[in-house]
Amino acid sequence: MSETSARLLRLLALLQTPREWPGSELAERLGVSGRTVRKDVERLRELGYPVDATRGSSGGYRLGSGAAMPPLLLDDEEAVAVAVALRTVAQGALAGVEETALRALAKLEQVLPSRLRRRVGALHAYTVPVPSDRPMPSVDPELLTALASACRDSERLRLDYRRHDGSATRREVEPHRLVNWGRRWYLLAYDTARSDWRTFRVDRVELRGPAGPRFTPREPPEGDAAAFVSRGVSAAAWRHRARVVVHAPAEAVAERISPAVGVVEPVDSAGCVLHTGADSVETLAVHLGLLGVDFEVADLPELVAHLRELAARYGRATG
């Protein structure tokens, strides 16, 4: 009986890999006959595991989704990763699910082997988060789920959106992707009234009614939702914008900056244009100095004046 139980656990571990397993391959992995594999599959089904089977030369077995959540088998690294993720959520990374995350974490830690419990305990005991310098917005998990479902199903949304200045506006959008940046969530969507892509902070979104009719998904802006959102969010906060000619290949410059700092536009094999900005010209000067290559400021006289002041100061420091 113990041999059968051990074999069932090995079979379940194989089936939890997201692929289809031919019966012959399962039999070879388990060192049993095909008939035994079929019997073991039936035993798993009796225990509540929905094992789907397809016939034919390309058929096989796959673990499907059922009406209830069956037990999972996790390897060591997976178990530690889940425990760390649950503790992070329990500390407030996502508002509204802290208590649920703690309950799940308690169940997981109760069954962890001692060697893994020590690893998870060490991570908890010797990891200290730095408190945020300002309150972070909270996001309703149900709202995130509703937005993600609308993105998946290509369903239009009607929503009320609160701008940065507190004013409210009503929008009808075609949702594309949710983007997570630190502890903030953004919705990238096509605004049908404005005929353009827009980024919405999820904590300022309030859905109005159920999702609307389906739409044909559009090509995402510049092919990368995360880069588009990070550029848009950063640019919205810039007080000073600059166009800078950089004497280096675009690929080399792009490796030194993130999309949140600026957009690199190739000119030729030896040069590019950097569209960037910051809240102050002092910060802009630091970013440009860290490029480590020659550049020319094409506009923004305030930045040019500050760079000349820096050049004179550095000249005096080395004279």
Side-chain angles (χ1 to χ4, degrees):
M1 184 64 185
S2 60
E3 180 181 345
T4 301
S5 299
R7 191 176 65 248
L8 284 177
L9 289 175
R10 289 177 57 201
L11 174 59
L12 182 58
L14 291 172
L15 292 175
Q16 285 182 167
T17 303
R19 54 161 290 191
E20 197 157 276
W21 290 88
S24 57
E25 186 174 350
L26 289 175
E28 182 180 351
R29 291 287 191 102
L30 299 173
V32 296
S33 66
R35 183 169 179 271
T36 300
V37 169
R38 292 191 291 274
K39 284 186 176 181
D40 287 347
V41 166
E42 287 303 318
R43 291 190 179 100
L44 288 179
R45 288 169 175 163
E46 291 171 1
L47 293 172
Y49 291 95
V51 182
D52 299 329
T54 55
R55 298 182 180 276
S57 58
S58 60
Y61 297 99
R62 176 190 293 271
L63 192 64
S65 58
M69 178 72 180
L72 296 176
L73 289 179
L74 302 175
D75 62 27
D76 286 5
E77 300 304 321
E78 291 169 341
V80 171
V82 171
V84 172
L86 286 172
R87 189 171 295 281
T88 301
V89 173
Q91 291 172 343
L94 189 61
V97 295
E98 296 91 344
E99 183 180 348
T100 305
L102 278 174
R103 292 202 309 268
L105 179 62
K107 292 178 181 178
L108 178 61
E109 290 185 337
Q110 184 177 1
V111 297
L112 284 178
S114 59
R115 67 181 187 280
L116 298 185
R117 196 179 300 117
R118 283 176 55 85
R119 288 173 59 183
V120 173
L123 279 169
H124 174 58
Y126 295 97
T127 303
V128 181
V130 175
S132 176
D133 57 353
R134 55 183 175 178
M136 296 301 294
S138 60
V139 176
D140 184 355
E142 291 187 7
L143 175 58
L144 279 179
T145 301
L147 294 176
S149 298
C151 292
R152 178 197 62 200
D153 299 333
S154 299
E155 294 177 329
R156 283 193 180 187
L157 293 174
R158 290 180 298 123
L159 52 89
D160 288 333
Y161 187 66
R162 179 170 43 86
R163 294 192 182 98
H164 180 71
D165 60 6
S167 61
T169 179
R170 188 163 297 177
R171 308 289 186 93
E172 184 167 324
V173 301
E174 298 175 355
H176 175 65
R177 287 290 186 276
L178 283 170
V179 176
N180 175 229
W181 190 351
R183 290 182 61 182
R184 285 188 175 169
W185 290 85
Y186 297 89
L187 171 67
L188 174 62
Y190 188 84
D191 191 316
T192 56
R194 292 159 177 79
S195 300
D196 201 1
W197 292 92
R198 291 290 188 269
T199 298
F200 302 93
R201 262 181 52 175
V202 173
D203 59 294
R204 297 177 182 166
V205 167
E206 182 178 347
L207 293 180
R208 296 185 59 82
R214 297 203 171 201
F215 60 89
T216 301
R218 303 171 188 268
E219 282 295 320
E222 303 173 33
D224 190 330
F228 181 87
V229 169
S230 62
R231 284 195 294 267
V233 171
S234 297
W238 290 344
R239 288 183 54 201
H240 302 279
R241 302 168 187 265
R243 179 176 175 273
V244 182
V245 177
V246 184
H247 299 291
E251 296 80 6
V253 176
E255 290 177 355
R256 295 171 179 249
I257 66 170
S258 73
V261 173
V263 179
V264 179
E265 177 185 309
V267 174
D268 52 37
S269 60
C272 61
V273 173
L274 172 63
H275 300 274
T276 185
D279 193 49
S280 67
V281 293
E282 290 81 6
T283 301
L284 258 177
V286 171
H287 288 164
L288 294 174
L290 291 175
L291 289 176
V293 295
D294 292 342
F295 61 87
E296 302 169 21
V297 178
D299 52 17
L300 196 57
E302 303 98 312
L303 176 59
V304 173
H306 181 66
L307 290 173
R308 285 173 177 163
E309 182 182 337
L310 286 179
R313 185 177 302 150
Y314 291 156
R316 292 191 297 270
T318 58

